[in-house]
Amino acid sequence: MQMTENTGFTIRDASPSDARFVAWTVLTAIGRTAEGDEMERLAKSCSLPDTLYSYRNSRLAMDGDKPVACLIAYPGQRYREMRDRTWKEVWKDEGFNLDEIADETAAGEYYLDSMAALPEYRGCGIAPLLFSDAFDRARKLGLETVSLIADLESPRLLNHYRKIGFEDKEKVLFFGEEYIRMTINIK
């Protein structure tokens, strides 16, 4: 477990028992309600070792024993394989053709997929802590580029990423919405 110097939060790997919190993170990050059948399918997928939103790809910020935030991130080389498996389990009935959806990441990158904090913990310094942890993990894997996609309709978030050092790369169409692909070199 990693202790932070100034926030008092710790960071740890998620486990299969954290699958519901990881699923909540994904649904919160995409603006969906974390309940019902979708939540159940996603939680099941998060408990598996080889999906996009697997507990294995998730790091939790903890306040004592309580998970308060999560960042899901992974190397890009297995993206399509994990994406296809995840979509078949969770959103197969949504009518999307995965071949028409832009890839979020590629080999050679460490991709920051989804992040969310409980409402009462937003603005407490957890996001920089999780980003720093993700950058360290990418370096340990020998990756120098970290990437993400951001909603063009969220200027506050875009400015936050730019302040961290992310640079705009290209616009991508993702599930019918336009996003900006951003990267940062962390070597």
Side-chain angles (χ1 to χ4, degrees):
M1 209 179 280
Q2 175 184 342
M3 186 66 166
T4 67
E5 290 144 23
N6 57 3
T7 63
F9 298 107
T10 55
I11 302 290
R12 71 165 172 85
D13 289 329
S15 70
S17 65
D18 297 309
R20 290 190 70 73
F21 192 80
V22 175
W24 171 85
T25 299
V26 173
L27 293 172
T28 299
I30 64 174
R32 292 180 115 153
T33 304
E35 58 187 35
D37 289 341
E38 182 177 43
M39 176 64 171
E40 296 310 312
R41 289 189 311 272
L42 188 55
K44 180 181 176 195
S45 179
C46 294
S47 72
L48 301 174
D50 56 356
T51 61
L52 287 178
Y53 314 121
S54 170
Y55 68 92
R56 286 183 149 179
N57 297 330
S58 305
R59 299 277 285 165
L60 302 177
M62 305 292 292
D63 185 3
D65 292 336
K66 177 182 179 180
V68 297
C70 177
L71 174 61
I72 302 160
Y74 43 83
Q77 66 262 20
R78 290 187 52 230
Y79 171 74
R80 280 199 170 208
E81 174 189 335
M82 290 189 304
R83 178 197 71 176
D84 292 350
R85 184 174 297 113
T86 303
W87 283 90
K88 284 177 188 169
E89 292 180 22
V90 181
W91 291 297
K92 65 183 176 195
D93 298 327
E94 297 256 340
F96 293 111
N97 180 350
L98 289 179
D99 294 329
E100 295 175 357
I101 298 169
D103 286 350
E104 294 173 81
T105 188
E109 297 178 343
Y110 194 69
Y111 182 66
L112 307 183
D113 189 301
S114 300
M115 183 171 70
L118 294 175
E120 63 270 26
Y121 284 87
R122 293 175 189 159
C124 295
I126 296 172
L129 176 66
L130 286 169
F131 272 91
S132 177
D133 180 71
F135 294 169
D136 288 345
R137 292 176 70 80
R139 286 185 198 97
K140 287 177 185 170
L141 292 169
L143 300 172
E144 297 178 356
T145 302
V146 174
S147 66
L148 55 82
I149 63 170
D151 187 346
L152 287 167
E153 300 297 317
S154 184
R156 195 176 122 256
L157 192 57
L158 289 169
N159 287 334
H160 176 72
Y161 293 147
R162 290 174 183 135
K163 281 182 184 177
I164 293 170
F166 281 90
E167 297 178 358
D168 296 8
K169 290 300 174 188
E170 69 263 352
K171 291 180 182 176
V172 293
L173 195 60
F174 194 70
F175 294 102
E177 301 291 325
E178 200 169 51
Y179 287 78
I180 187 81
R181 185 172 143 64
M182 303 177 87
T183 64
I184 186 172
N185 187 307
I186 56 161
K187 65 176 178 176

mmCIF file of all heavy atoms in Angstrom, residues 13 22 25-26 51-60 70-76 82 105 109-115 130-131 133-135 137-138 141 143 146-148:
data_model
loop_
_atom_site.group_PDB
_atom_site.id
_atom_site.type_symbol
_atom_site.label_atom_id
_atom_site.label_comp_id
_atom_site.label_asym_id
_atom_site.label_seq_id
_atom_site.Cartn_x
_atom_site.Cartn_y
_atom_site.Cartn_z
ATOM 1 N N ASP A 13 -4.107 -1.830 -4.825
ATOM 2 C CA ASP A 13 -4.718 -2.572 -5.915
ATOM 3 C C ASP A 13 -6.130 -2.971 -5.509
ATOM 4 O O ASP A 13 -6.376 -3.302 -4.344
ATOM 5 C CB ASP A 13 -3.932 -3.852 -6.204
ATOM 6 C CG ASP A 13 -2.583 -3.605 -6.845
ATOM 7 O OD1 ASP A 13 -2.451 -2.625 -7.592
ATOM 8 O OD2 ASP A 13 -1.671 -4.416 -6.599
ATOM 9 N N VAL A 22 -15.531 -0.645 -8.510
ATOM 10 C CA VAL A 22 -14.930 -0.416 -9.828
ATOM 11 C C VAL A 22 -16.032 -0.177 -10.859
ATOM 12 O O VAL A 22 -15.945 0.753 -11.669
ATOM 13 C CB VAL A 22 -14.009 -1.588 -10.224
ATOM 14 C CG1 VAL A 22 -13.477 -1.405 -11.647
ATOM 15 C CG2 VAL A 22 -12.857 -1.744 -9.228
ATOM 16 N N THR A 25 -17.379 3.198 -10.550
ATOM 17 C CA THR A 25 -16.441 4.161 -11.137
ATOM 18 C C THR A 25 -16.693 4.315 -12.627
ATOM 19 O O THR A 25 -16.784 5.436 -13.138
ATOM 20 C CB THR A 25 -14.985 3.709 -10.889
ATOM 21 O OG1 THR A 25 -14.762 3.647 -9.479
ATOM 22 C CG2 THR A 25 -13.988 4.646 -11.540
ATOM 23 N N VAL A 26 -16.796 3.203 -13.328
ATOM 24 C CA VAL A 26 -17.010 3.242 -14.782
ATOM 25 C C VAL A 26 -18.319 3.953 -15.101
ATOM 26 O O VAL A 26 -18.355 4.871 -15.935
ATOM 27 C CB VAL A 26 -17.018 1.817 -15.384
ATOM 28 C CG1 VAL A 26 -17.400 1.851 -16.860
ATOM 29 C CG2 VAL A 26 -15.668 1.140 -15.182
ATOM 30 N N THR A 51 -10.699 -8.220 -18.390
ATOM 31 C CA THR A 51 -11.588 -7.275 -19.059
ATOM 32 C C THR A 51 -11.014 -5.866 -18.901
ATOM 33 O O THR A 51 -10.106 -5.642 -18.096
ATOM 34 C CB THR A 51 -12.999 -7.322 -18.454
ATOM 35 O OG1 THR A 51 -12.928 -6.966 -17.072
ATOM 36 C CG2 THR A 51 -13.620 -8.710 -18.604
ATOM 37 N N LEU A 52 -11.528 -4.925 -19.659
ATOM 38 C CA LEU A 52 -11.045 -3.542 -19.561
ATOM 39 C C LEU A 52 -11.126 -3.019 -18.140
ATOM 40 O O LEU A 52 -10.202 -2.389 -17.642
ATOM 41 C CB LEU A 52 -11.868 -2.608 -20.459
ATOM 42 C CG LEU A 52 -11.661 -2.691 -21.952
ATOM 43 C CD1 LEU A 52 -12.601 -1.712 -22.657
ATOM 44 C CD2 LEU A 52 -10.224 -2.421 -22.343
ATOM 45 N N TYR A 53 -12.248 -3.255 -17.512
ATOM 46 C CA TYR A 53 -12.507 -2.673 -16.198
ATOM 47 C C TYR A 53 -12.242 -3.666 -15.069
ATOM 48 O O TYR A 53 -12.796 -3.549 -13.988
ATOM 49 C CB TYR A 53 -13.945 -2.155 -16.132
ATOM 50 C CG TYR A 53 -14.338 -1.351 -17.340
ATOM 51 C CD1 TYR A 53 -15.412 -1.720 -18.134
ATOM 52 C CD2 TYR A 53 -13.606 -0.221 -17.711
ATOM 53 C CE1 TYR A 53 -15.769 -0.987 -19.248
ATOM 54 C CE2 TYR A 53 -13.954 0.504 -18.836
ATOM 55 C CZ TYR A 53 -15.031 0.117 -19.600
ATOM 56 O OH TYR A 53 -15.367 0.845 -20.702
ATOM 57 N N SER A 54 -11.386 -4.625 -15.330
ATOM 58 C CA SER A 54 -11.046 -5.634 -14.341
ATOM 59 C C SER A 54 -10.472 -5.003 -13.075
ATOM 60 O O SER A 54 -9.798 -3.967 -13.127
ATOM 61 C CB SER A 54 -9.994 -6.585 -14.923
ATOM 62 O OG SER A 54 -9.467 -7.436 -13.923
ATOM 63 N N TYR A 55 -10.721 -5.657 -11.972
ATOM 64 C CA TYR A 55 -10.079 -5.245 -10.719
ATOM 65 C C TYR A 55 -8.559 -5.193 -10.895
ATOM 66 O O TYR A 55 -7.890 -4.377 -10.265
ATOM 67 C CB TYR A 55 -10.463 -6.201 -9.579
ATOM 68 C CG TYR A 55 -9.891 -7.596 -9.745
ATOM 69 C CD1 TYR A 55 -8.661 -7.922 -9.186
ATOM 70 C CD2 TYR A 55 -10.569 -8.577 -10.474
ATOM 71 C CE1 TYR A 55 -8.113 -9.193 -9.358
ATOM 72 C CE2 TYR A 55 -10.047 -9.836 -10.633
ATOM 73 C CZ TYR A 55 -8.804 -10.144 -10.082
ATOM 74 O OH TYR A 55 -8.276 -11.388 -10.253
ATOM 75 N N ARG A 56 -8.004 -6.010 -11.785
ATOM 76 C CA ARG A 56 -6.554 -6.026 -12.009
ATOM 77 C C ARG A 56 -6.043 -4.722 -12.635
ATOM 78 O O ARG A 56 -4.861 -4.419 -12.544
ATOM 79 C CB ARG A 56 -6.162 -7.185 -12.913
ATOM 80 C CG ARG A 56 -6.216 -8.504 -12.227
ATOM 81 C CD ARG A 56 -5.745 -9.560 -13.164
ATOM 82 N NE ARG A 56 -5.105 -10.616 -12.411
ATOM 83 C CZ ARG A 56 -4.609 -11.687 -12.969
ATOM 84 N NH1 ARG A 56 -4.650 -11.837 -14.276
ATOM 85 N NH2 ARG A 56 -4.056 -12.615 -12.229
ATOM 86 N N ASN A 57 -6.912 -3.994 -13.292
ATOM 87 C CA ASN A 57 -6.543 -2.722 -13.916
ATOM 88 C C ASN A 57 -6.920 -1.535 -13.041
ATOM 89 O O ASN A 57 -6.846 -0.398 -13.496
ATOM 90 C CB ASN A 57 -7.237 -2.583 -15.273
ATOM 91 C CG ASN A 57 -6.816 -3.650 -16.250
ATOM 92 O OD1 ASN A 57 -5.697 -4.145 -16.189
ATOM 93 N ND2 ASN A 57 -7.717 -4.027 -17.145
ATOM 94 N N SER A 58 -7.329 -1.789 -11.823
ATOM 95 C CA SER A 58 -7.915 -0.745 -10.980
ATOM 96 C C SER A 58 -7.102 -0.509 -9.716
ATOM 97 O O SER A 58 -6.680 -1.449 -9.053
ATOM 98 C CB SER A 58 -9.340 -1.146 -10.593
ATOM 99 O OG SER A 58 -10.106 -1.412 -11.751
ATOM 100 N N ARG A 59 -6.928 0.767 -9.403
ATOM 101 C CA ARG A 59 -6.269 1.173 -8.165
ATOM 102 C C ARG A 59 -7.260 2.020 -7.386
ATOM 103 O O ARG A 59 -7.934 2.892 -7.942
ATOM 104 C CB ARG A 59 -5.011 1.975 -8.469
ATOM 105 C CG ARG A 59 -3.964 1.208 -9.255
ATOM 106 C CD ARG A 59 -3.082 0.340 -8.415
ATOM 107 N NE ARG A 59 -2.131 1.177 -7.703
ATOM 108 C CZ ARG A 59 -1.409 0.757 -6.684
ATOM 109 N NH1 ARG A 59 -1.519 -0.476 -6.246
ATOM 110 N NH2 ARG A 59 -0.567 1.567 -6.086
ATOM 111 N N LEU A 60 -7.346 1.750 -6.092
ATOM 112 C CA LEU A 60 -8.297 2.446 -5.237
ATOM 113 C C LEU A 60 -7.604 3.410 -4.301
ATOM 114 O O LEU A 60 -6.553 3.086 -3.735
ATOM 115 C CB LEU A 60 -9.076 1.438 -4.386
ATOM 116 C CG LEU A 60 -9.867 0.367 -5.127
ATOM 117 C CD1 LEU A 60 -10.517 -0.574 -4.128
ATOM 118 C CD2 LEU A 60 -10.904 0.990 -6.030
ATOM 119 N N CYS A 70 -11.339 5.681 -7.508
ATOM 120 C CA CYS A 70 -10.739 4.598 -8.284
ATOM 121 C C CYS A 70 -10.258 5.149 -9.620
ATOM 122 O O CYS A 70 -10.913 6.023 -10.207
ATOM 123 C CB CYS A 70 -11.779 3.501 -8.507
ATOM 124 S SG CYS A 70 -11.231 2.118 -9.515
ATOM 125 N N LEU A 71 -9.130 4.631 -10.072
ATOM 126 C CA LEU A 71 -8.631 4.903 -11.420
ATOM 127 C C LEU A 71 -8.385 3.565 -12.088
ATOM 128 O O LEU A 71 -7.682 2.709 -11.536
ATOM 129 C CB LEU A 71 -7.332 5.718 -11.388
ATOM 130 C CG LEU A 71 -6.642 5.932 -12.744
ATOM 131 C CD1 LEU A 71 -7.524 6.697 -13.716
ATOM 132 C CD2 LEU A 71 -5.320 6.636 -12.552
ATOM 133 N N ILE A 72 -8.976 3.396 -13.251
ATOM 134 C CA ILE A 72 -8.797 2.190 -14.050
ATOM 135 C C ILE A 72 -7.848 2.551 -15.185
ATOM 136 O O ILE A 72 -8.106 3.489 -15.945
ATOM 137 C CB ILE A 72 -10.149 1.696 -14.609
ATOM 138 C CG1 ILE A 72 -11.111 1.431 -13.452
ATOM 139 C CG2 ILE A 72 -9.954 0.456 -15.476
ATOM 140 C CD1 ILE A 72 -12.560 1.415 -13.845
ATOM 141 N N ALA A 73 -6.738 1.829 -15.279
ATOM 142 C CA ALA A 73 -5.713 2.122 -16.285
ATOM 143 C C ALA A 73 -5.004 0.830 -16.670
ATOM 144 O O ALA A 73 -4.914 -0.100 -15.861
ATOM 145 C CB ALA A 73 -4.712 3.127 -15.722
ATOM 146 N N TYR A 74 -4.487 0.793 -17.896
ATOM 147 C CA TYR A 74 -3.858 -0.435 -18.385
ATOM 148 C C TYR A 74 -2.986 -0.135 -19.604
ATOM 149 O O TYR A 74 -3.186 0.866 -20.295
ATOM 150 C CB TYR A 74 -4.921 -1.477 -18.756
ATOM 151 C CG TYR A 74 -6.089 -0.899 -19.523
ATOM 152 C CD1 TYR A 74 -6.025 -0.694 -20.895
ATOM 153 C CD2 TYR A 74 -7.248 -0.536 -18.852
ATOM 154 C CE1 TYR A 74 -7.094 -0.149 -21.590
ATOM 155 C CE2 TYR A 74 -8.333 0.008 -19.541
ATOM 156 C CZ TYR A 74 -8.245 0.195 -20.906
ATOM 157 O OH TYR A 74 -9.295 0.738 -21.584
ATOM 158 N N PRO A 75 -2.023 -1.038 -19.889
ATOM 159 C CA PRO A 75 -1.229 -0.906 -21.115
ATOM 160 C C PRO A 75 -2.119 -1.140 -22.337
ATOM 161 O O PRO A 75 -3.024 -1.979 -22.305
ATOM 162 C CB PRO A 75 -0.181 -2.014 -20.998
ATOM 163 C CG PRO A 75 -0.206 -2.460 -19.582
ATOM 164 C CD PRO A 75 -1.581 -2.151 -19.068
ATOM 165 N N GLY A 76 -1.861 -0.432 -23.403
ATOM 166 C CA GLY A 76 -2.728 -0.479 -24.571
ATOM 167 C C GLY A 76 -2.610 -1.694 -25.464
ATOM 168 O O GLY A 76 -3.479 -1.914 -26.299
ATOM 169 N N MET A 82 -9.389 -7.070 -24.769
ATOM 170 C CA MET A 82 -10.138 -6.815 -23.528
ATOM 171 C C MET A 82 -11.445 -6.082 -23.825
ATOM 172 O O MET A 82 -12.473 -6.365 -23.222
ATOM 173 C CB MET A 82 -9.292 -6.008 -22.540
ATOM 174 C CG MET A 82 -8.135 -6.767 -21.958
ATOM 175 S SD MET A 82 -7.286 -5.891 -20.607
ATOM 176 C CE MET A 82 -6.823 -4.342 -21.359
ATOM 177 N N THR A 105 -6.851 3.575 -27.148
ATOM 178 C CA THR A 105 -5.421 3.516 -26.883
ATOM 179 C C THR A 105 -4.765 2.566 -27.870
ATOM 180 O O THR A 105 -5.450 1.948 -28.684
ATOM 181 C CB THR A 105 -5.158 3.075 -25.422
ATOM 182 O OG1 THR A 105 -3.773 3.203 -25.120
ATOM 183 C CG2 THR A 105 -5.626 1.656 -25.170
ATOM 184 N N GLU A 109 1.391 2.497 -25.065
ATOM 185 C CA GLU A 109 0.824 3.530 -24.199
ATOM 186 C C GLU A 109 0.280 2.900 -22.913
ATOM 187 O O GLU A 109 -0.077 1.727 -22.896
ATOM 188 C CB GLU A 109 -0.362 4.232 -24.874
ATOM 189 C CG GLU A 109 -0.025 4.975 -26.117
ATOM 190 C CD GLU A 109 -1.252 5.608 -26.751
ATOM 191 O OE1 GLU A 109 -2.405 5.235 -26.433
ATOM 192 O OE2 GLU A 109 -1.043 6.483 -27.590
ATOM 193 N N TYR A 110 0.196 3.715 -21.898
ATOM 194 C CA TYR A 110 -0.522 3.356 -20.687
ATOM 195 C C TYR A 110 -1.769 4.225 -20.697
ATOM 196 O O TYR A 110 -1.682 5.456 -20.739
ATOM 197 C CB TYR A 110 0.339 3.629 -19.451
ATOM 198 C CG TYR A 110 -0.192 2.984 -18.194
ATOM 199 C CD1 TYR A 110 -0.171 1.608 -18.042
ATOM 200 C CD2 TYR A 110 -0.699 3.746 -17.162
ATOM 201 C CE1 TYR A 110 -0.652 1.003 -16.883
ATOM 202 C CE2 TYR A 110 -1.175 3.160 -16.001
ATOM 203 C CZ TYR A 110 -1.149 1.780 -15.870
ATOM 204 O OH TYR A 110 -1.619 1.196 -14.729
ATOM 205 N N TYR A 111 -2.935 3.592 -20.712
ATOM 206 C CA TYR A 111 -4.189 4.309 -20.921
ATOM 207 C C TYR A 111 -4.951 4.516 -19.621
ATOM 208 O O TYR A 111 -5.213 3.562 -18.888
ATOM 209 C CB TYR A 111 -5.060 3.542 -21.920
ATOM 210 C CG TYR A 111 -6.343 4.254 -22.224
ATOM 211 C CD1 TYR A 111 -6.337 5.476 -22.898
ATOM 212 C CD2 TYR A 111 -7.563 3.732 -21.829
ATOM 213 C CE1 TYR A 111 -7.520 6.150 -23.162
ATOM 214 C CE2 TYR A 111 -8.746 4.400 -22.096
ATOM 215 C CZ TYR A 111 -8.712 5.602 -22.762
ATOM 216 O OH TYR A 111 -9.882 6.266 -23.023
ATOM 217 N N LEU A 112 -5.312 5.753 -19.360
ATOM 218 C CA LEU A 112 -6.150 6.103 -18.211
ATOM 219 C C LEU A 112 -7.598 6.051 -18.684
ATOM 220 O O LEU A 112 -8.049 6.928 -19.406
ATOM 221 C CB LEU A 112 -5.792 7.484 -17.677
ATOM 222 C CG LEU A 112 -4.315 7.727 -17.350
ATOM 223 C CD1 LEU A 112 -4.118 9.115 -16.765
ATOM 224 C CD2 LEU A 112 -3.757 6.656 -16.435
ATOM 225 N N ASP A 113 -8.306 5.021 -18.286
ATOM 226 C CA ASP A 113 -9.632 4.752 -18.831
ATOM 227 C C ASP A 113 -10.735 5.486 -18.082
ATOM 228 O O ASP A 113 -11.476 6.265 -18.677
ATOM 229 C CB ASP A 113 -9.890 3.246 -18.810
ATOM 230 C CG ASP A 113 -11.148 2.855 -19.549
ATOM 231 O OD1 ASP A 113 -12.234 3.326 -19.180
ATOM 232 O OD2 ASP A 113 -11.050 2.065 -20.502
ATOM 233 N N SER A 114 -10.892 5.211 -16.809
ATOM 234 C CA SER A 114 -11.999 5.782 -16.044
ATOM 235 C C SER A 114 -11.535 6.136 -14.639
ATOM 236 O O SER A 114 -10.769 5.391 -14.034
ATOM 237 C CB SER A 114 -13.150 4.764 -15.927
ATOM 238 O OG SER A 114 -13.636 4.391 -17.181
ATOM 239 N N MET A 115 -12.035 7.258 -14.156
ATOM 240 C CA MET A 115 -11.717 7.665 -12.797
ATOM 241 C C MET A 115 -12.932 8.359 -12.208
ATOM 242 O O MET A 115 -13.619 9.128 -12.878
ATOM 243 C CB MET A 115 -10.524 8.622 -12.772
ATOM 244 C CG MET A 115 -10.118 9.007 -11.354
ATOM 245 S SD MET A 115 -8.563 9.927 -11.250
ATOM 246 C CE MET A 115 -9.026 11.476 -11.973
ATOM 247 N N LEU A 130 -3.815 9.761 -7.660
ATOM 248 C CA LEU A 130 -4.056 8.635 -8.564
ATOM 249 C C LEU A 130 -3.284 8.791 -9.876
ATOM 250 O O LEU A 130 -2.770 7.808 -10.415
ATOM 251 C CB LEU A 130 -5.553 8.469 -8.826
ATOM 252 C CG LEU A 130 -6.352 7.883 -7.659
ATOM 253 C CD1 LEU A 130 -7.854 8.018 -7.902
ATOM 254 C CD2 LEU A 130 -5.981 6.436 -7.408
ATOM 255 N N PHE A 131 -3.179 10.017 -10.380
ATOM 256 C CA PHE A 131 -2.399 10.243 -11.601
ATOM 257 C C PHE A 131 -0.931 9.915 -11.359
ATOM 258 O O PHE A 131 -0.297 9.243 -12.169
ATOM 259 C CB PHE A 131 -2.536 11.698 -12.078
ATOM 260 C CG PHE A 131 -3.708 11.926 -12.978
ATOM 261 C CD1 PHE A 131 -4.936 12.300 -12.461
ATOM 262 C CD2 PHE A 131 -3.600 11.772 -14.342
ATOM 263 C CE1 PHE A 131 -6.034 12.512 -13.279
ATOM 264 C CE2 PHE A 131 -4.688 11.982 -15.180
ATOM 265 C CZ PHE A 131 -5.907 12.357 -14.646
ATOM 266 N N ASP A 133 0.349 7.912 -9.175
ATOM 267 C CA ASP A 133 0.443 6.467 -9.051
ATOM 268 C C ASP A 133 0.411 5.801 -10.429
ATOM 269 O O ASP A 133 1.200 4.892 -10.710
ATOM 270 C CB ASP A 133 -0.705 5.955 -8.171
ATOM 271 C CG ASP A 133 -0.682 4.463 -7.987
ATOM 272 O OD1 ASP A 133 0.215 3.961 -7.273
ATOM 273 O OD2 ASP A 133 -1.562 3.781 -8.563
ATOM 274 N N ALA A 134 -0.470 6.256 -11.312
ATOM 275 C CA ALA A 134 -0.569 5.688 -12.662
ATOM 276 C C ALA A 134 0.714 5.945 -13.452
ATOM 277 O O ALA A 134 1.202 5.063 -14.164
ATOM 278 C CB ALA A 134 -1.780 6.271 -13.398
ATOM 279 N N PHE A 135 1.274 7.141 -13.336
ATOM 280 C CA PHE A 135 2.526 7.447 -14.033
ATOM 281 C C PHE A 135 3.643 6.533 -13.536
ATOM 282 O O PHE A 135 4.446 6.026 -14.326
ATOM 283 C CB PHE A 135 2.907 8.906 -13.852
ATOM 284 C CG PHE A 135 1.968 9.898 -14.496
ATOM 285 C CD1 PHE A 135 2.085 11.243 -14.211
ATOM 286 C CD2 PHE A 135 0.960 9.512 -15.369
ATOM 287 C CE1 PHE A 135 1.236 12.181 -14.778
ATOM 288 C CE2 PHE A 135 0.097 10.439 -15.951
ATOM 289 C CZ PHE A 135 0.236 11.780 -15.659
ATOM 290 N N ARG A 137 3.294 3.528 -12.294
ATOM 291 C CA ARG A 137 3.021 2.175 -12.808
ATOM 292 C C ARG A 137 3.419 2.074 -14.279
ATOM 293 O O ARG A 137 3.979 1.060 -14.702
ATOM 294 C CB ARG A 137 1.552 1.821 -12.608
ATOM 295 C CG ARG A 137 1.211 1.652 -11.114
ATOM 296 C CD ARG A 137 -0.257 1.403 -10.864
ATOM 297 N NE ARG A 137 -0.706 0.101 -11.305
ATOM 298 C CZ ARG A 137 -0.535 -1.036 -10.638
ATOM 299 N NH1 ARG A 137 0.095 -1.011 -9.491
ATOM 300 N NH2 ARG A 137 -0.995 -2.175 -11.103
ATOM 301 N N ALA A 138 3.138 3.105 -15.055
ATOM 302 C CA ALA A 138 3.523 3.101 -16.467
ATOM 303 C C ALA A 138 5.050 3.010 -16.602
ATOM 304 O O ALA A 138 5.563 2.227 -17.414
ATOM 305 C CB ALA A 138 2.999 4.355 -17.160
ATOM 306 N N LEU A 141 6.397 -0.370 -16.090
ATOM 307 C CA LEU A 141 6.131 -1.242 -17.244
ATOM 308 C C LEU A 141 6.994 -0.867 -18.451
ATOM 309 O O LEU A 141 6.893 -1.488 -19.505
ATOM 310 C CB LEU A 141 4.649 -1.164 -17.622
ATOM 311 C CG LEU A 141 3.676 -1.754 -16.612
ATOM 312 C CD1 LEU A 141 2.237 -1.380 -16.963
ATOM 313 C CD2 LEU A 141 3.840 -3.276 -16.548
ATOM 314 N N LEU A 143 6.824 2.019 -20.084
ATOM 315 C CA LEU A 143 6.049 2.851 -21.011
ATOM 316 C C LEU A 143 6.319 4.324 -20.726
ATOM 317 O O LEU A 143 6.360 4.736 -19.568
ATOM 318 C CB LEU A 143 4.558 2.543 -20.885
ATOM 319 C CG LEU A 143 4.184 1.093 -21.198
ATOM 320 C CD1 LEU A 143 2.728 0.822 -20.849
ATOM 321 C CD2 LEU A 143 4.445 0.775 -22.663
ATOM 322 N N VAL A 146 1.519 8.185 -21.629
ATOM 323 C CA VAL A 146 0.238 7.941 -20.976
ATOM 324 C C VAL A 146 -0.807 8.680 -21.804
ATOM 325 O O VAL A 146 -0.584 9.816 -22.234
ATOM 326 C CB VAL A 146 0.248 8.436 -19.508
ATOM 327 C CG1 VAL A 146 -1.128 8.306 -18.882
ATOM 328 C CG2 VAL A 146 1.289 7.659 -18.695
ATOM 329 N N SER A 147 -1.937 8.029 -22.037
ATOM 330 C CA SER A 147 -2.972 8.638 -22.868
ATOM 331 C C SER A 147 -4.327 8.564 -22.187
ATOM 332 O O SER A 147 -4.533 7.798 -21.246
ATOM 333 C CB SER A 147 -3.031 7.944 -24.236
ATOM 334 O OG SER A 147 -3.451 6.604 -24.105
ATOM 335 N N LEU A 148 -5.243 9.372 -22.707
ATOM 336 C CA LEU A 148 -6.636 9.372 -22.286
ATOM 337 C C LEU A 148 -7.446 10.041 -23.374
ATOM 338 O O LEU A 148 -6.884 10.659 -24.280
ATOM 339 C CB LEU A 148 -6.823 10.081 -20.940
ATOM 340 C CG LEU A 148 -6.324 11.525 -20.780
ATOM 341 C CD1 LEU A 148 -7.328 12.537 -21.336
ATOM 342 C CD2 LEU A 148 -6.086 11.821 -19.312
#
